[in-house]
Amino acid sequence: MTTPTRPAVDRRTAAAMYGTMALIRRFEQAAYRGYEQGEVHGTVHVGIGQEAVAVGMIGALRETDSVLSHHRGHAHALAKGVPPERLMAELYGRSDGVSRGKGGSMHATDLRRGFLGTMAIVGSSIPVATGVALANKVRGRDDVCVAFFGDGAVNQGVLYESLNLAALWRLPVIFVCENNSYAITTAVGDATAGPGVAARAEAFGVQAETIDGQDVLAVREAAERMIEGARAGRPALVECLTYRFMGHSRGDPAHGVYRDKEEVELWQRRDPLRVLAEHAGLGDDLAAELTAEARERVRAAVEFAGRSPVPGPAALMEDIVK
Amino acid sequence: MTTPTRPAVDRRTAAAMYGTMALIRRFEQAAYRGYEQGEVHGTVHVGIGQEAVAVGMIGALRETDSVLSHHRGHAHALAKGVPPERLMAELYGRSDGVSRGKGGSMHATDLRRGFLGTMAIVGSSIPVATGVALANKVRGRDDVCVAFFGDGAVNQGVLYESLNLAALWRLPVIFVCENNSYAITTAVGDATAGPGVAARAEAFGVQAETIDGQDVLAVREAAERMIEGARAGRPALVECLTYRFMGHSRGDPAHGVYRDKEEVELWQRRDPLRVLAEHAGLGDDLAAELTAEARERVRAAVEFAGRSPVPGPAALMEDIVK
Amino acid sequence: MTTTTPAAATAPDAAPGAAQPATATFAAALCAAQHDAMRLDETIVLLGQDVRAGFPFGATKGLVDVFGPDRVVNTPISEAATMGCGVGAALGGIRPVVEVDFAGFLLLGLDQLVNNGAKLRYMSGGQASVPLVVRVGQGPLGSFAAQHSQTQHAYLAGIPGLTVLAPATAQQAYDAMRWALVQDDPVVLLEDMRLYRRGGPLTRGPVPGSVTSTVHRPGTDLTILTFGHGVVTALQAAQEVAARGIDVEVLGLDSLNPLDVAGVARSVRRTGRVLCLADDPPLFGTAATLSLVATTEAHDVLRAPVLSLGGRAVPTPYTPGLEALVYPTPGAAAEAITTLMKWTD
Amino acid sequence: MTTTTPAAATAPDAAPGAAQPATATFAAALCAAQHDAMRLDETIVLLGQDVRAGFPFGATKGLVDVFGPDRVVNTPISEAATMGCGVGAALGGIRPVVEVDFAGFLLLGLDQLVNNGAKLRYMSGGQASVPLVVRVGQGPLGSFAAQHSQTQHAYLAGIPGLTVLAPATAQQAYDAMRWALVQDDPVVLLEDMRLYRRGGPLTRGPVPGSVTSTVHRPGTDLTILTFGHGVVTALQAAQEVAARGIDVEVLGLDSLNPLDVAGVARSVRRTGRVLCLADDPPLFGTAATLSLVATTEAHDVLRAPVLSLGGRAVPTPYTPGLEALVYPTPGAAAEAITTLMKWTD
Ligand SMILES: Cc1ncc(C[n+]2csc(CCOP(=O)(O)OP(=O)(O)O)c2C)c(N)n1
Ligand SMILES: Cc1ncc(C[n+]2csc(CCOP(=O)(O)OP(=O)(O)O)c2C)c(N)n1
Ligand SMILES: [Mg+2]
Ligand SMILES: [Mg+2]
C-alpha cells in the first residue's frame, strides 16, 4: 500500500467532505430502516463504513465526468450529486424516483448528474465505463469515467479484458476497487490468488495503487493524480482498502458467521467520518452541525419519498424502447 | 524470455521428436491439399512452423496426462498419439474419424489417448482444462492436464479467471500459450497491452515463463520442470514464441496483407525441424529417413481416410446424449 | 479448495434423520437430494459462490459440515471459468454441481455450458461424457428488478444436448436432483425462486427412473400445460373455477427437454381445451412451444384454439405495483379458462 | 486505437461510385450501408476482430481506408468487454457497431447485451439511450461444425428492449443497417452466413422509415412465414410447386422483434394455409412463435392446421452429408406444402 503524503486540506473542503459522508451515512441508515418497514423492497445493500471511497474519488471529478456503480451504490450516487430525495423515492419505488421506481436501489441512474447507472451483475459496470471513456475520446472530450466495483469483481474476467482495452486505446477511465475484505461470506484470500488487483492491473499495462480507503484525504489525493493522468490517456486502477460495517444485504448480520465481532469493531475504530474529523481537526461543534444538517436532509428525503405516488399501470410498458 | 540451459538430449529421443515433428508437418501439408481437393471441408487451420511446441510439451507427458486443444490443433493430437489415419479420416468427415466425422478439424477428440477435445471458441479450452485438473485432484490422481491456446486467447477474460482458480486450488494444470505473433490479421502488439501473458499469469499467482517455441529441446526442458511442479500442485503458464508459416486458414495467404514476406522468411529460417537437427546433430541421413517414414505414414493415412465410408444418415441423431 | 478432511458427518438442516414421508421446503428438498446423492457418490462436488454458507436460499446449507470443503467448494465470482471448470471436471470423471443463484448470472457462463457442455458428446462422436448438473434460480423473487428477474426456460430447452428440468414441488425438486445426478450428460435444473420457501411432502426415496410430466390435478374440461411455479398459479386458478363447475386438469412439464409430448397429447386429446401458462412472454417464450405441441397433437379434437398466457414483454420493473402486472396471476388464468370454456367458433 | 488521421477518402470495394440501382452481394450491401451511414454520422464507430481487414466476410472491407483506424477499430478477442464497451460507448453518446462473426461467439458477450444493453433504458426509467448495433453471423456456413453453426433468433427476439432484424436480401441488409443506425436503442442484425455472397439489386437509398415484413412473392393458396435465408428456401419451394399449380405467398419477417403481426394476419387470413419455416428446431425455436401468431390471428379461417418446418434438434455435424440433413431444404418445404394443400380434417 502506498503511503501518500497527506495533502494539506482547507477547512472548507474538509467540512464539505464530512457533510457528504454524513449525508450518505444517514441516508443508508434510513434506507435500511425503510427496508425493515416495508417501504424499500426486494433487497438493499448499504455501504456504511465505506463512505470515504465514494466521497474522496467522486469529489475530485468535474460535473461532466461520469460514474458507473454497482449493487452497493448509494454513496456513489449521492457523492455525484443525485438529490437524496430522488434517490430515496427510487428506493421506495415511487414515481419521483430517479429511475421512476423501475430500477430501485440496484439500478438508480441520474444521467443529468453524470451518474450513468448502477449494474447489479458483479463486474458488469467495468466494460461499460470503458466504453463511455471510448465515447469521450471519440467525441474529443477530456471527461473521465469512473467504474466502481468490489473485491468480488476482481475475479471476473471482464475486468482484465477491460483493463487491456483501456491501456491499448489509452482511454480516460479509472477503475476503483472497493476492497471491503468480503464478497458476501467469502473472504478475499479465499477468492483471489496472487499479489492482488493492483499488481494484476499493472500486468495489463494500467498503472495502479492500493490506498487506505478509510481516509478520505488519501483517496482524494490519489483521485486527483489519477484523474489528471486519465484525462491525458493514462487509465488507472486504485484499490481502496475499506470495510462494510453492516451485513452484505438485508438480513445478513454484521458478524457471526463469516467474520467475528472483534474484526468488525477493529474496523469501526477507523470510521471514515471520525478519521477525517481528526485529521482535519474539524472540531466537535462543526461535526455536530454537519451531522444535524445531513439528518435534516435525509428526513426531508424520506418525507418526499413517502409522499411521492407509486407509478400507475400505464408506466409498465413505457421506457422499453424510445 | 528465459534462456534455458539446453539439456543434453540423447540421439534416440531427438530422433523421436524429429520424427513426430516431421509427421505433423507432412500431415498438415496433406490436410491442406485435402482442403484444396474438396476432401477436407469447411475450413482448416494448419500450424506449420509451430510443431516444436506440441512435440516438446506433450512429449514430456505421461499417457494418463491429458491435453485440450484449440482450432489449430492437429499437432497436439498427433503428438498425444492420435493415429494419423484416424485424424485424417476425421478431417475427411468419415466414419473412421476419431469423432466419427462429426467434429472435423476443429473438434477432433480421442479420449483413449488423453486427447480430451478441441475447442474452436478462442480461449474456451482453458477453464475446461482447469476443471479436468480439478477432477484429477478430487480423484487423487497426479495426472496433469495441459491447455493449448494462441496469443489471441490471452485477452479472453476466462484465462484470468482460470489462472486464479488454478492458483487458488493448487491444480495440476499447465497453460501453454502458442504466441505466433498474430491472431488472424491482428498483431500481438495491437491486441495485448502491458508486459505480456507471462507477467499477467504471475500476477494471478501462477508461475510463468516465456521460451523459444522453435526449439523443441527448450520446450521439452521447460515442460519437464512445469509438469513436475503441476503434479505437486503448482500450476504454470508457459508462453512459447513461435510462428505460423502459412496463412491463418484456408484462403489466407502466408504474407501480403498484415505481414510481409521478409518477416515470414526470417522465421522460416528458424524452422523447428532444422533447429532440432542442428542442435542434436542428427545428420542428413537420419533426417531424410525420418522424413520418409513420416511421408509414408501420412500417405497411408490419406489412403485410409479416402477409403473410409461417409457416415450414414442414422448417425445424425446419435451421440446427442447417451 | 483447502485440503482439510471432512468434518464428522452431521446432517444438513434439511432432513436426514427425519421420519418418512416428511415435509420440507423446495430448497431443503434440493439440499436433501444433494446430501443423499453425495453420500452414495463420492465424486459429486458442489461448486458455487458461498455454497458453504448455503447463501442465499439454503439449498446447500450444512453440506460442508458433512462433506467437507473439498466437496463443497466456494468459488470466486467467476461464472465463466466456474462453468467451464464444471464442464472440465465432468469430462475428467467427477460429477460437479454448479450453482448459479440468479438466472441473469447464467449469461456469463453460457458459452461454456452451450458451446462445450451441451456439444462435447456430439462433437466427439459419442466419446465424451459431461455429467454436469447446473442449478439456476429463475423467475422473479419480488422487487429484485430487471437483472435479477429472468427466465431462460425456452432458450435452454432449445439447446440439443442439454436436459432441462423445471420442478414444481419439493418432491419434484428432490427427484429431479437425484435423477440428474445419475445422468451421463449435462442437466440444468431451473429452480423458480418463488418456490424455494414453499413446503410440501417429501419422501427421500430412490432415484426415479425418469422425469417427464405430472398430473397435479386431474380434470376433464380443460388442460393447463405449465411447469415450475406455473403449477402453483394453475392450481389456484383451477380451484377458483371449480366453484363454477369447471374441471381443470393441471399438467406440469417436469422436463422441458425432452418434452413429454405423449403426456401432453394424452391430456389435451381428452379435455379438448388447452391453456399454456408460462412466465415468459408468449412470443418467443415457452408457451409458444407448448401451444405448438398441443395444436400438433390434438388439432382434430380441439374444441377451441389453444390459448397462451405468459408474462408481459418488459424488463421486470422494481416497484412492486408494476412487477405484479408482469407475471400471469391465478385470476388471469381463470379468465383465460372462462374464455376457453365459452368458445364457439 | 491509434490517433492516425483518416486516409484520404477512397470508397470501399462495395460500391460508392456505382450507378443506381446496382447489384451487390449481401456482405457488400452491409459494407455500403455502414459506409453511407458513417459519412453522415461522425459518431459511428465499428468495433470488431479484424474489421480493418474486413475478415472474414468482407462486410467492413475498405472502410478503414475511408474512415481511418479511429472509426474502424480492431478489437482484441475479448467478446465480453467489447460488447460492454459497445454498450458504454452508446451510453456515452456515440454509435458503435459491434461485429460478432459467428453466433457461437455471441454467447461470450450476451451478459452485456442482454443485462445492460437491452435493459438500461427501462431500468433508468427512460433516461438512458443505448444506440448500439450488433451484427452477428448466424446459421451454418458449410462444415464449420457445432460451435460455428448456430442460430439465436428465437432467444434474442424474446428479449424486451432488443430490436432484432433478419434481412434476406442485399437490399434488405442495406436498409436494415441504415435503419438500425438511426435508432435510439440497441438493434441486433442477424446475418445468415449463407447469404453473404449472394448477389441482388441494391439501391443505396434513403434510410427506410421502418423495417417490418416483405412479400417476396405474392400468392393465393398458402403463406410461408420465414426470414433470413429461409426466404431463399421458400422461394425455391414456391417455384417447385408452382409447376403443379400451387400459388405460394412468401412473407419474410425482416424484423423478428417487433414482429409484424398485422402483416402476418393479412397474409394468412387471405391464404388460409400456413407453413412456418426456420432453421432452428420447431420446439423452442422461431417456428413455434410464427405458428402461434398465425394460429391466433387466423384460427377462424384456417383451412388446415399451421405446419412448422425447422431444423433437426442436433448440434450441427461437421461432415457434409449429415449437415445437409439438419436444415430444411426446398424439397422438404415443397413436401410440407403438398401436405397442407391436401388437408381435410
Ligand atoms: C455476476 C454476478 N454473480 C453473482 C452475484 C451475486 N452477488 C451479489 S453481490 C455479490 C458479492 C459482491 O462482492 P464485492 O464485489 O466484494 O462487493 P461488496 O458486496 O463487498 O460491496 C455477489 C456474489 C451477482 N450480483 N452478479
Ligand atoms: C470466441 C471466439 N472469437 C473469435 C473467433 C474467431 N477466430 C478463430 S481463430 C482466431 C484467431 C486466434 O488467434 P490465436 O489465438 O493467436 O491463435 P492462432 O490462430 O494464431 O493459432 C479468431 C479470432 C473464435 N473462434 N472464437
Ligand atoms: Mg467486497
Ligand atoms: Mg496467434
Side-chain angles (χ1 to χ4, degrees), chain D residues 222-260:
Chain D
L222 179 150
T223 300
I224 301 184
L225 299 176
T226 190
F227 52 91
H229 185 266
V231 168
V232 176
T233 309
L235 288 172
Q236 287 174 17
Q239 178 114 16
E240 207 173 308
V241 299
R244 285 186 271 134
I246 306 173
D247 188 18
V248 170
E249 173 147 317
V250 176
L251 184 67
L253 283 317
D254 310 327
S255 169
L256 293 172
N257 186 20
L259 198 61
D260 182 14

Side-chain angles (χ1 to χ4, degrees), chain A residues 150-152 178-184 244:
Chain A
D151 50 281
E178 306 184 283
N179 181 349
N180 63 7
S181 299
Y182 295 92
I184 309 185
R244 63 170 153 73

Side-chain angles (χ1 to χ4, degrees), chain A residues 250, chain C residues 24-27 56-57 141 192-199:
Chain A
R250 50 73 180 134
Chain C
T25 64
F26 190 90
F57 302 116
L141 187 58
D192 194 300
M193 297 187 290
R194 291 165 294 183
L195 297 174
Y196 281 128
R197 290 186 189 158
R198 288 183 72 90

Side-chain angles (χ1 to χ4, degrees), chain C residues 50-325:
Chain C
D50 306 287
V51 285
R52 289 182 187 147
F55 190 96
F57 302 116
T60 56
K61 204 168 168 198
L63 295 178
V64 69
D65 302 324
V66 184
F67 300 105
D70 280 359
R71 294 185 63 194
V72 182
V73 183
N74 274 3
T75 59
I77 308 175
S78 306
E79 278 83 2
T82 302
M83 190 65 77
C85 207
V87 170
L91 190 63
I94 67 172
R95 284 189 179 277
V97 179
V98 170
E99 174 180 305
V100 179
D101 290 325
F102 287 81
F105 317 161
L106 182 66
L107 299 185
L108 293 158
L110 211 50
D111 162 54
Q112 286 295 332
L113 180 62
V114 170
N115 280 326
N116 287 337
K119 293 177 184 165
L120 283 177
R121 180 180 294 279
Y122 195 80
M123 297 192 304
S124 68
Q127 294 172 76
S129 251
V130 182
L132 164 70
V133 176
V134 181
R135 299 182 38 236
V136 195
Q138 296 276 332
L141 187 58
S143 283
F144 268 66
Q147 291 184 337
H148 281 72
S149 312
Q150 303 186 34
T151 60
Q152 290 143 344
H153 299 75
Y155 174 67
L156 293 168
I159 305 295
L162 285 189
T163 296
V164 179
L165 309 181
T169 65
Q171 185 67 53
Q172 289 184 334
Y174 180 90
D175 287 345
M177 176 55 86
R178 291 298 305 273
W179 183 84
L181 282 170
V182 298
Q183 299 312 301
D184 294 306
D185 293 287
V187 178
V188 184
L189 247 79
L190 301 178
E191 305 171 2
D192 194 300
M193 297 187 290
R194 291 165 294 183
L195 297 174
Y196 281 128
R197 290 186 189 158
R198 288 183 72 90
L202 174 66
T203 305
R204 295 170 69 161
V207 180
S210 62
V211 175
T212 55
S213 67
T214 304
V215 177
H216 288 271
R217 182 190 199 282
T220 53
D221 292 330
L222 179 149
T223 300
I224 301 184
L225 298 176
T226 191
F227 53 90
H229 184 267
V231 169
V232 176
T233 309
L235 288 172
Q236 287 175 18
Q239 177 113 16
E240 207 173 307
V241 299
R244 285 186 272 135
I246 305 172
D247 188 17
V248 170
E249 173 147 316
V250 176
L251 184 67
L253 282 316
D254 309 328
S255 169
L256 293 172
N257 187 19
L259 197 62
D260 182 13
V261 172
V264 170
R266 245 187 334 269
S267 177
V268 301
R269 293 191 69 82
R270 200 154 40 69
T271 63
R273 294 188 189 87
V274 188
L275 173 63
C276 303
L277 182 69
D279 284 314
D280 50 4
L283 298 197
F284 300 103
T286 320
T289 290
L290 298 179
S291 164
L292 176 68
V293 171
T295 308
T296 306
E297 295 298 316
H299 54 80
D300 55 326
V301 295
L302 285 181
R303 293 187 271 180
V306 173
L307 255 189
S308 287
L309 185 61
R312 304 295 299 273
V314 63
T316 304
Y318 163 72
T319 194
L322 294 186
E323 187 184 29
L325 304 174

